[in-house]
Amino acid sequence: MTLRSHALSLAVALALPLAGHAQGAAKDVVVDRVTGPLVTVGAAPRNDAMIVSVLLEQPDGTLLPRSTETAFNTGDRFRVKLLASREGRVALCNTPPSGIPNPEPVWRGEVRPGQETISPRLRLSGTSGGGFEQLHAVLEPPGEANVCRWLAGHVANKTVAKDIVLDQQSTPQATYLLAAPNTGLVATMRIFHR
C-alpha cells in the first residue's frame, strides 16, 4: 500500500462516521419539528418538515412501512402516511413514463401539525411498454392554487429543487424532509413497470 492510498483510506474511514452522524441529525431535527410543541403567536415560522411512509399492503392485509426510496412495482397496493410540521394541504401527484406530470393530483388531503394523515388505498397499475413512473407526495406551499403546475416547475428546474429541500434522510421505514418555512416539500417514489 502506498502512502497516498493509505492517506485516502484513512480519510474515507474518518468521513464515514461523520456522514452517519449528519444523517442521524437530519432525522432527529425533522422528528422534533413534526412532534414538538406548536409555534406560538409572534414567533418566527417553523421550518417545513414532513415524514412520509409508504404503507405497502402484504398478501395477508398487513401494512408494512417503507421509505419513498423503496422501488415499487406494478400491482403493489399501498397507502401513503404523512406527518407534517404545519397545517396545510398535501397531494399525491403522478408523473408517467413520458416525464410530463399529470395536471391533477391523484389524491389531496389536509394535514395538521403532529397528526398523521393517511391516503386511501391505492394500486399501481401497469403501463404498456414498461418503464418507470413517479408518484410525488407533496406538502403544498401555502396559497399555491395549482399544486401539479408548481410540482412540474419544481421537478423540471433542478436548481430550484436543490434550494427548496434543505435536508432529506431515509430509513427503511420512512423518508424525512426539511425545508425553509412555507416553501413546500416533495418526496418522490419510483414505480417500475414491466
Side-chain angles (χ1 to χ4, degrees):
M1 180 182 278
T2 67
L3 182 57
R4 182 178 170 160
S5 64
H6 181 66
L8 182 59
S9 296
L10 181 60
V12 170
L14 290 173
L16 287 176
L18 294 175
H21 177 68
Q23 283 187 340
K27 176 185 169 193
D28 295 342
V29 169
V30 171
V31 169
D32 180 55
R33 297 285 192 285
V34 169
T35 61
L38 298 177
V39 176
T40 58
V41 175
R46 166 181 263 183
N47 285 28
D48 279 1
M50 182 169 65
I51 302 171
V52 180
S53 290
V54 180
L55 305 175
L56 191 60
E57 188 175 314
Q58 301 301 294
D60 66 359
T62 58
L63 298 172
L64 215 69
R66 293 288 181 241
S67 81
T68 60
E69 291 185 5
T70 302
F72 299 96
N73 297 299
T74 304
D76 286 348
R77 295 177 189 272
F78 65 97
R79 297 174 189 260
V80 178
K81 180 174 77 171
L82 306 142
L83 189 61
S85 62
R86 67 169 165 85
E87 190 168 310
R89 294 184 60 90
V90 289
L92 297 177
C93 298
N94 176 256
T95 302
S98 68
I100 301 168
N102 286 327
E104 294 296 320
V106 174
W107 171 81
R108 276 182 111 172
E110 302 285 330
V111 288
R112 301 211 186 305
Q115 294 180 1
E116 292 178 346
T117 298
I118 300 176
S119 75
R121 181 183 190 213
L122 303 167
R123 185 178 67 80
L124 301 173
S125 59
T127 61
S128 60
F132 81 96
E133 65 183 293
Q134 301 170 19
L135 186 63
H136 312 278
V138 181
L139 174 60
E140 299 178 20
E144 184 59 50
N146 186 327
V147 67
C148 292
R149 183 175 35 206
W150 174 85
L151 176 66
H154 177 79
V155 170
N157 187 350
K158 299 298 182 198
T159 59
V160 170
K162 288 179 186 172
D163 291 342
I164 289 176
V165 175
L166 296 178
D167 217 340
Q168 177 175 335
Q169 178 189 359
S170 287
T171 65
Q173 294 82 24
T175 298
Y176 301 81
L177 302 117
L178 181 68
N182 299 315
T183 55
L185 289 165
V186 179
T188 300
M189 300 176 292
R190 286 169 178 70
I191 300 123
F192 295 92
H193 297 293
R194 298 181 187 121

